[in-house]
Amino acid sequence: MDKDELTLAVVDAIEKYPLLYSGVAHFNARRAEHMQAWNEVAAAVGQGVNATYCKQRWNIIRRNHTKYLRTGRNTIKIPGIHERLSFLNSWIKSNQDKEAKRSQLRSLAFNIDLVKLVEQHPWLYNDQPRSKAEDEEAWEKIASIMSDEVSVTSEDMRTQWLSLRRIYVQFMQDSPQDSPQRIESYMHFLIPHLKFPIKPNFVPKSVECSDLPTESKSARVEGYDHLGYDPGDQDAAFLLSILPHLKAMTGHQRRQFKVRAVTLSDFS
């Protein structure tokens, strides 16, 4: 068995052990099972290889296959290797989607938009009685607006808001200093709802998203004649007239447009 055949044998053996590639179990939580699986893979491959060899070879193969899916560059010169690795594709995409979501949730611009939407729903942050249905409806609407670039759920948005609120409380308990680069500076509408007195010398500053760097526009514009509308409906005509401009925006710009449209309406 040559080196290429040995590599394919490692791939075929590992495919039978989702524990080793699916991410369904954390290594430290199931260390013994992982070690046993690698030993069984080595035994299945044979040729005198051990678990360490199989693991090292697999890490290289998986890393290069991930790069191939992302860039199209084939750095593994073994015919048919990527077809044999196709069982990994759904797991790799899932991990990429999760990382994209994590990156989005860390974005200042994204969090500013979220905060502005929450501000339009006082019952999400004040102490007034509200129904569970009202909460769920509000978070669903917020998630729908915030899902332009990366899909997020209402639970994602609720969890993110609670995290931001904790950050804001800590910010106000310390020595707050406003800055356009700090999400806390966009959350001062929470001051009346804090359970502790704010610093006597603290004066909230007005900050605007315009203080932040903007993204470049996309040149992609499409026609919307296929939608059809009543030419006599001036509101519909106006909305359709701005669709090409909306389509030409980046995901972030489009989301900001929606947020600002919502803040102008009685969004209940």
Side-chain angles (χ1 to χ4, degrees):
M1 185 181 291
D2 62 23
K3 187 176 180 180
D4 288 355
E5 292 173 332
L6 192 60
T7 296
L8 292 174
V10 170
V11 170
D12 290 342
I14 288 176
E15 184 178 5
K16 299 179 177 66
Y17 294 87
L19 176 73
L20 300 178
Y21 59 82
S22 67
V24 295
H26 194 276
F27 173 73
N28 289 330
R30 299 174 66 177
R31 182 185 296 266
E33 290 180 65
H34 275 83
M35 294 178 65
Q36 177 64 25
W38 282 116
N39 286 330
E40 291 177 8
V41 165
V45 173
Q47 305 298 310
V49 302
N50 57 25
T52 300
Y53 171 87
C54 292
K55 187 174 183 178
Q56 291 174 343
R57 189 67 187 144
W58 173 248
N59 287 339
I60 295 171
I61 295 167
R62 178 168 180 160
R63 184 165 57 249
N64 282 279
H65 182 62
T66 301
K67 185 183 296 183
Y68 169 77
L69 293 178
R70 188 174 64 250
T71 67
R73 291 181 56 195
N74 183 12
T75 55
I76 311 177
K77 306 303 181 182
I78 302 176
I81 182 68
H82 295 295
E83 288 75 13
R84 296 278 274 273
L85 288 164
S86 61
F87 64 90
L88 277 181
N89 294 358
S90 61
W91 300 110
I92 291 173
K93 184 179 186 307
S94 175
N95 288 337
Q96 289 173 338
D97 290 345
K98 289 176 183 176
E99 180 52 39
K101 181 182 289 188
R102 284 193 292 267
S103 176
Q104 185 83 299
L105 294 177
R106 291 192 295 265
S107 162
L108 176 61
F110 181 88
N111 284 314
I112 290 172
D113 289 343
L114 172 59
V115 164
K116 287 188 173 184
L117 286 174
V118 171
E119 186 178 5
Q120 302 305 308
H121 302 73
W123 63 92
L124 295 179
Y125 57 85
N126 63 23
D127 295 326
Q128 300 302 313
R130 74 267 193 170
S131 70
K132 184 177 180 181
E134 284 181 308
D135 273 15
E136 290 178 350
E137 182 182 5
W139 287 119
E140 286 290 344
K141 289 180 179 178
I142 289 172
S144 175
I145 292 173
M146 298 297 290
S147 290
D148 255 318
E149 295 173 271
V150 175
S151 179
V152 293
T153 66
S154 58
E155 188 56 33
D156 290 332
M157 295 296 87
R158 188 200 313 267
T159 301
Q160 183 69 1
W161 166 249
L162 292 176
S163 175
L164 293 176
R165 182 159 182 164
R166 285 192 295 270
I167 291 171
Y168 180 73
V169 168
Q170 187 62 52
F171 171 78
M172 294 300 291
Q173 287 176 331
D174 295 336
S175 300
Q177 291 186 338
D178 277 322
S179 163
Q181 302 295 332
R182 299 196 64 146
I183 185 60
E184 299 94 325
S185 298
Y186 300 85
M187 299 177 67
H188 292 317
F189 60 89
L190 290 177
I191 286 178
H193 309 287
L194 296 176
K195 305 296 184 183
F196 54 86
I198 65 172
K199 303 285 183 180
N201 60 343
F202 175 67
V203 179
K205 294 180 182 178
S206 175
V207 291
E208 298 293 337
C209 294
S210 57
D211 296 323
L212 297 171
T214 57
E215 301 178 43
S216 61
K217 290 185 177 181
S218 164
R220 182 168 169 264
V221 179
E222 298 177 359
Y224 289 88
D225 293 340
H226 64 285
L227 293 178
Y229 66 97
D230 178 5
D233 187 336
Q234 294 184 351
D235 291 335
F238 169 73
L239 290 174
L240 285 174
S241 73
I242 64 174
L243 280 175
H245 303 286
L246 187 64
K247 196 67 175 177
M249 296 177 184
T250 64
H252 167 59
Q253 291 167 334
R254 190 162 50 248
R255 189 177 64 242
Q256 280 207 323
F257 174 86
K258 292 179 181 180
V259 170
R260 290 175 182 177
V262 166
T263 58
L264 289 174
S265 66
D266 183 16
F267 191 66
S268 59

